[in-house]
Amino acid sequence: MPNGEQGQQQSHGATPAGGQWYPPEWPARIRALAEGSLTPVEPRRAATVMLLRDTPDGPAVHMLRRRTSMAFAGGAYAYPGGGVDPRDEDHLVGWAGPDQEAWAARLGTDPRTAQAIVCSAVRETFEEAGVLLAGETADTVVGDTTGDDWEADRLALVARELSFAEFLDRRGLRLRSDLLGAWARWITPEFEPRRYDTWFFVAALPEGQRTRNASTEADRTVWIRPAEAADGYDKGELLMMPPTISTLRSLEPYGRAAEALAAAPAQDLTPVLAQAALEDGELVLSWPGHDEFTKRVRLGLGGSA
């Protein structure tokens, strides 16, 4: 779930700021980057999906909490998501909705890359939440996906024993790209050792399907209204990364899942990349356009916080 990996490592005791923490390794790595002794890692393409369902009080979003025992971002809330499988660029998958050229224009990539990113969004939602945005025809969606045969295919996808294209072909399904809306794009900061270039999508839970905690990386899943989750973050009760809380806040104005989907084409996909600077003995970390995440850390001797 790379959306939880945008510029945050495990805290190991770092001081919370709202519901967000900053790891103690950052100052030294940022100083090394500024001095030219740290070469940025090439970010891996990834996708994550904000899955919505309507409630009497407005849309709720499906979120997973990473296991607290994990060495990376333990305890952080995120959305289903993961890295792109290169195989999804090579095979023309069953497809419905806007074509690869249209998605390429929207995502700012070439058509093959756009196909892989959209496939990643749909595949990861199935792998981590058990929800599949695909159907036998261009205007249908599969129903319940909780049977043993579905689970066998899901596990094969997780293990990369089965490509997503092979999975769709085997079942005679078409990916429903029209059920997705591209929402945001965040790139892990250059000083991080593991980096992702992540596209965020929004989608509505298909009728007849239900979510479950199918991820080995999560110890809890919840349906929660964006405003409620943001309030938990503000109180320091829910840990989240900048992309997660930012996209949650951006969902708050919408009264129904369909309204959020309709608003997706107007969302700005300009990549958000953190900037780091050393100013008068302080480390200043900021995300352009997202002032709430600006962090100033006083550096001690040796460049540590």
Side-chain angles (χ1 to χ4, degrees):
M1 51 185 79
N3 61 96
E5 300 174 353
Q6 300 295 312
Q8 300 280 358
Q9 294 279 6
Q10 175 69 338
S11 63
H12 298 300
T15 302
Q20 176 191 30
W21 32 243
Y22 293 83
E25 298 84 6
W26 274 11
R29 294 188 63 84
I30 291 171
R31 172 165 286 177
L33 181 67
E35 294 173 346
S37 60
L38 177 67
T39 301
V41 175
E42 187 71 21
R44 180 186 177 190
R45 294 190 299 273
T48 190
V49 177
M50 300 179 289
L51 191 63
L52 304 174
R53 73 176 184 189
D54 289 323
T55 77
D57 298 318
V61 62
H62 180 69
M63 302 192 76
L64 306 86
R65 185 178 68 183
R66 291 176 63 86
R67 294 185 183 277
T68 54
S69 60
M70 294 190 68
F72 191 85
Y77 281 80
Y79 313 115
V84 165
D85 184 344
R87 293 177 297 179
D88 291 335
E89 296 184 12
D90 301 330
H91 183 87
L92 186 62
V93 302
W95 196 275
D99 62 19
Q100 288 84 342
E101 286 74 17
W103 276 106
R106 177 68 176 126
L107 301 180
T109 68
D110 61 85
R112 288 179 60 187
T113 299
Q115 173 177 288
I117 293 168
V118 174
C119 282
S120 177
V122 176
R123 186 192 69 251
E124 290 288 340
T125 304
F126 181 54
E127 288 183 9
E128 297 197 339
V131 171
L132 183 59
L133 304 176
E136 294 182 355
T137 65
D139 56 2
T140 60
V141 185
V142 297
D144 185 9
T145 62
T146 58
D148 291 343
D149 59 332
W150 285 106
E151 180 63 8
D153 280 351
R154 190 191 68 80
L155 290 174
L157 286 168
V158 171
R160 297 297 183 259
E161 298 167 354
L162 181 68
S163 74
F164 192 59
E166 292 169 339
F167 165 69
L168 293 177
D169 287 348
R170 174 189 295 182
R171 289 186 170 270
L173 297 175
R174 300 183 184 184
L175 180 153
R176 289 286 305 275
S177 79
D178 56 315
L179 300 182
L180 286 167
W183 196 265
R185 180 182 178 185
W186 288 67
I187 302 176
T188 309
E190 291 183 333
F191 52 82
E192 284 282 29
R194 178 163 48 175
R195 303 184 64 212
Y196 291 91
D197 183 352
T198 304
W199 282 262
F200 285 70
F201 295 85
V202 66
L205 178 69
E207 186 175 353
Q209 294 193 40
R210 58 183 186 271
T211 58
R212 65 187 190 278
N213 183 7
S215 173
T216 58
E217 297 182 355
D219 61 10
R220 184 188 184 202
T221 62
V222 295
W223 282 101
I224 187 169
R225 290 185 301 108
E228 182 182 353
D231 184 59
Y233 167 90
D234 291 335
K235 293 178 179 177
E237 298 170 352
L238 302 180
L239 285 175
M240 297 180 203
M241 311 313 157
T244 308
I245 182 59
S246 173
T247 49
L248 273 173
R249 294 199 200 284
S250 71
L251 290 173
E252 289 187 36
Y254 303 101
R256 295 183 58 81
E259 293 177 12
L261 278 167
Q267 300 301 308
D268 185 5
L269 294 189
T270 302
V272 180
L273 175 64
Q275 296 178 350
L278 298 173
E279 300 177 1
D280 299 324
E282 283 188 328
L283 179 159
V284 182
L285 183 65
S286 61
W287 279 260
H290 301 269
D291 293 342
E292 73 166 296
F293 305 128
T294 298
K295 177 69 174 177
R296 305 183 74 92
V297 180
R298 173 61 61 179
L299 300 180
L301 293 177
S304 60

